[in-house]
Amino acid sequence: MFILSVAALLATPARANEHAPAARLTVVPDGEQLFDLMTGETTLPDGGTIIDTETGVELRAAWIRYVEGERIEARDAVADIDAGRISTPELTIDVPALRAEATAGVTLEREGLTVTADAATVLFAPGLVRFDAPTSEQPLMRGAALLLVAHSGDAVLLGPYAFEDGPLTLQDDREDARLQLRPTRAEDGSLRYRAANEVDADLWEELEPIR
Amino acid sequence: MTRPSSAWTAPTPSRRRSAAHAAAVHAAAWMTLLLLAIPTTSAFAQGDAESPADFAPFGAAPYDLAPQALALATPIGAPCAAVGGEVRLAGVGNARFDRIELDGDSGDARLWGGVCIDATIVGAVLRAEEVRIFDLEGDPRLQVEDAVLDLGAWRLAVRRLNGSVTALTLTEVHLLAPGLIGSAEAGSISADGAELSGAVLATDAWLFQAERITVAAEVITLHAPVAVPCRCDRPRYHLSGSEARVRFEGGDATLLRPALHAASLRLPLGDRFDLVGGELDTAVPLRIRADRNLGTVVEWHARDARGPRLTLGTVSEPSRGPLLDLQIEGDGANVRLQHDPRGPVLTASQRHELHPRLAVTGFSEANLRGARALLRSGAHLSASTPRASLPLGGTDGLVLSAQLRATLGAELAAEPVSDGGLGPAGPRFPASLTAELRLPLAAAGRLALDAELEGAFTPGTLPPIPAEAGAWRGSYTLRPSYQVSVPVAGSELRFSAAYLRHAPLGVGPFAFDAVSERSRLSGEATLAGKPFGVTEATASLRAEWRLAPEPPGPQRLGASASVTVPLGSGFRLQASLASELAGLIGGPDGADWWQAGLNLQGGADLQADARVRFGVTDGVLRDADLAARVPIDLPVNANDPNALQGVRLAPYLAADFAPWLRGEGPPTLSAHGLRVRIVDCCGTVTLGYLRDGDGTAFEVGVSLPDLWRDGRPPEGPVDPGDLPEDWPDRYGDEP
């Protein structure tokens, strides 16, 4: 088994600077791996698993190609991150920027939230995810975009949006409309949301990188 | 949020509107009932008689609409503005808002900032600054403070609103509509409608109090209402009923099974009472009138729009006796029984429409008045053509319009005489044909011709037809006429002329269808305009001349003129001059006579007037009347709103100077009268009498006061300066 360490995933910038990237990642191919001496690219045509040994982030894909310390490309990928489990046909990770892009559709699953979107942007360092044209069955909603804070689950749905909770359906057709969603734990242990069409200033500032 | 001050205040006498807008005076109204009820209705003075002093219409709720004043700017029924955030509550409706918080855990929601809910489940639009919804997962409940609820054509301003969205409870309700304001202690609203309790409603002229009110789209129904015609503290009289229905726009109302309460008496008024504006738009049950044949008639009407109409009364001529008039109508049937000292008359008819222009009418008539009574029964078939237009060609495009009507009948008729003898009786077959021709000549006027040919065949009678009569009789009528209107120097000259020819064709056995000969030429010319700018003037000449072969009779000529001059400050002076000349010319020897009359009348809105009249017969001055009416105001205490606000006496005197002018003696008093107008907190009462050569006439009327309201009107333009800068735009498209 060929083991190669690459850039850290979902680590804070400080941590990324403190530790050598090669020491944090483990690549486990499911089959053969091809190394291109001219470009420095390594391809796992049978897929494999990339594990961040420090954060525990695990990326599994049916096809992977990466350049050490620069980027990772994956197809039919599933990644477990702080925000939940992301599934996408195509995923590109910019290793130095600690940024991932899913442009061919994406699904996020986490407790109390399942979102499907046309595209997604993940900023690993601050732990933020932006979904474009998201739709969700739990809770039932759709919007122009959904901004998600990975560690808290706080989210903001950007308009035009519609959000349904029980017998209530909130919708706003204005492009500058926003709906803040904050998860709360119900007495039965299930996760519900508090919705408000005025966003907390702190949250809005925290989401600034993906707005 | 700041709110402009607005208050609905009680009226003061000085604020009352002009008489033009006040309720019109009715000749027989409240005071008639009062005056006549007191001595005659002790039988009614029992049971639920309610002392007017116990009725306090303003104890229910204050007229304080300040909390909802801003929302009044939105027109009633305006939908929620289609902007901003929207929340849809399944099965309830949609809401617009500025801000919303929804707690999925607790199932609570809070909407605020110009919240507008289109609550389709109860058919209402609710507006409030903040709305809280609880138990979203179960049976959602609303809690709202200071809400404005548009329900159909009505607006409810509610202090508190809470409960299930399908059955809301209302507290401290004010009800608004054009011309109407009201308040209620509490209420409820559901898909079945809205109901208010402990309610008071006020229109421009009426105050209603009811234990319960139901609000529907266009009609408010008050159950067990009490109505007073003023906002006085202690009404002297009021109305009650089983139900009152107040309609949108103007607050017109209908009171069912009404009763009048006054001086501890209760007087039923029939089945319904229409209260339109400040007027009593109803046939007042009791009426005193003068009748040419029956003298003074006192009538009591029991009227129901869908039931029989009954009139009971007494008459003075030809002898004192009872009066009865009962009429039942419905589905083309009409039965009427009339009785007075002259005798009874019973008529009945039933019309069946076979086609819009073809109908059969069966009828029976028993007229036992007079020396020769009449009994008839039969059926008529009548038909008419549509009005046809026949182009006559020519450059003017003349079009002749025409319509024909025809009738065929079969009947039995009898004319028994009053002494018990037999008159003619037998079958009778009438027929008639009527034609109307109209020819407009554009600016040259209009020609018209009315013609009728009618007749009847009587094959035989018992006793037999006398020799001077025949089996056939008939008549024809021709009436050509012409009328034109011509502008003359800024005025208008209207001229009309007509000739009437009505002649019998044979004589039948029955007297009732005898025809009088007529041959008359008549004409009239009227010039009307404003010859001196604002001064209105009218002058007219009339003539009616009998021609052979009509038997000799009086020929008539007449002329009149009037001038109306505005005096400023709303006063107008009207002077009129009229003269009539009538005489029998060319009659039997020694029967010729002529008579002339002259009337001169002047007056103004001050109710002062004067009249001069001269009458000459055969060259001898018979009448020379001088009459005048001068109003006198009595001093009152105008500072006490519950005291009389004004008393005006207007005596009327007329003297005949003819005997004095003829040197036969001093002038004589030919007529006298008095009109008293009393203004108090509950309206204006007018009482009067006039005694002249024709008898004595009485006048009784009531004019009802208006209610005044101050502050922002329910509708109309709003000064944007009155609104705060942060006024949310969700209340409507034009807040």
Side-chain angles (χ1 to χ4, degrees), chain B residues 168 198 417 629 685:
Chain B
L168 293 167
V417 292
R629 185 194 306 273
V685 178

Side-chain angles (χ1 to χ4, degrees), chain B residues 478-500:
Chain B
L478 289 174
R479 187 178 184 277
S481 62
Y482 172 72
Q483 63 183 44
V484 68
S485 177
V486 182
V488 177
S491 300
E492 181 183 30
L493 174 64
R494 295 187 293 271
F495 174 77
S496 64
Y499 172 69
L500 172 66

Side-chain angles (χ1 to χ4, degrees), chain B residues 280-298:
Chain B
L280 309 179
D281 187 19
T282 180
V284 178
L286 192 64
R287 192 160 65 127
I288 304 173
R289 63 181 174 89
D291 186 277
R292 174 174 296 180
N293 297 316
L294 300 175
T296 301
V297 180
V298 181

Side-chain angles (χ1 to χ4, degrees), chain A residues 167 169 171 192-193 195 197-198, chain B residues 86 88 90 98 100 102 104 136:
Chain A
T169 301
Q171 69 179 49
R192 307 297 297 270
Y193 285 89
N197 69 338
E198 186 163 284
Chain B
E86 183 183 28
R88 184 170 62 250
D98 272 356
I100 186 172
L102 168 65
L136 283 167

Side-chain angles (χ1 to χ4, degrees), chain B residues 70-76 78 127 150 155 714-715 727 731-732 734-735:
Chain B
L70 281 178
L72 299 182
T74 306
I76 295 176
R127 291 176 170 89
D150 284 356
R155 167 158 295 175
E715 292 188 341
W727 176 247
Y731 281 130
E734 297 178 355

Side-chain angles (χ1 to χ4, degrees), chain B residues 357 385-393 397-405 434-442 445-451 479 481:
Chain B
R357 298 197 170 274
T385 66
R387 183 167 290 279
S389 298
L390 309 173
L392 300 182
L398 296 179
V399 176
L400 175 69
S401 64
Q403 186 176 31
L404 296 176
R405 291 188 294 275
T434 304
E436 287 182 8
L437 302 176
R438 302 287 184 266
L439 182 60
L441 302 175
R446 189 185 74 161
L447 281 172
L449 175 63
D450 295 271
R479 187 178 184 277
S481 62

Side-chain angles (χ1 to χ4, degrees), chain B residues 626-665:
Chain B
L626 173 62
R629 185 194 306 273
V630 180
I632 304 169
D633 286 320
L634 300 184
V636 295
N637 180 12
N639 295 324
D640 181 358
N642 285 317
L644 291 178
Q645 302 297 301
V647 177
R648 168 169 289 187
L649 304 179
Y652 175 81
L653 290 175
D656 184 5
F657 288 82
W660 180 68
L661 292 174
R662 292 196 304 264
E664 298 174 355

Side-chain angles (χ1 to χ4, degrees), chain B residues 689-726:
Chain B
Y689 85 93
L690 176 64
R691 171 79 176 179
D692 59 15
D694 296 330
T696 304
F698 295 93
E699 176 188 13
V700 183
V702 173
S703 174
L704 302 176
D706 287 346
L707 292 179
W708 277 86
R709 57 193 179 211
D710 291 342
R712 185 189 298 275
E715 292 188 341
V718 176
D719 181 0
D722 291 345
L723 300 177
E725 291 182 356
D726 61 346

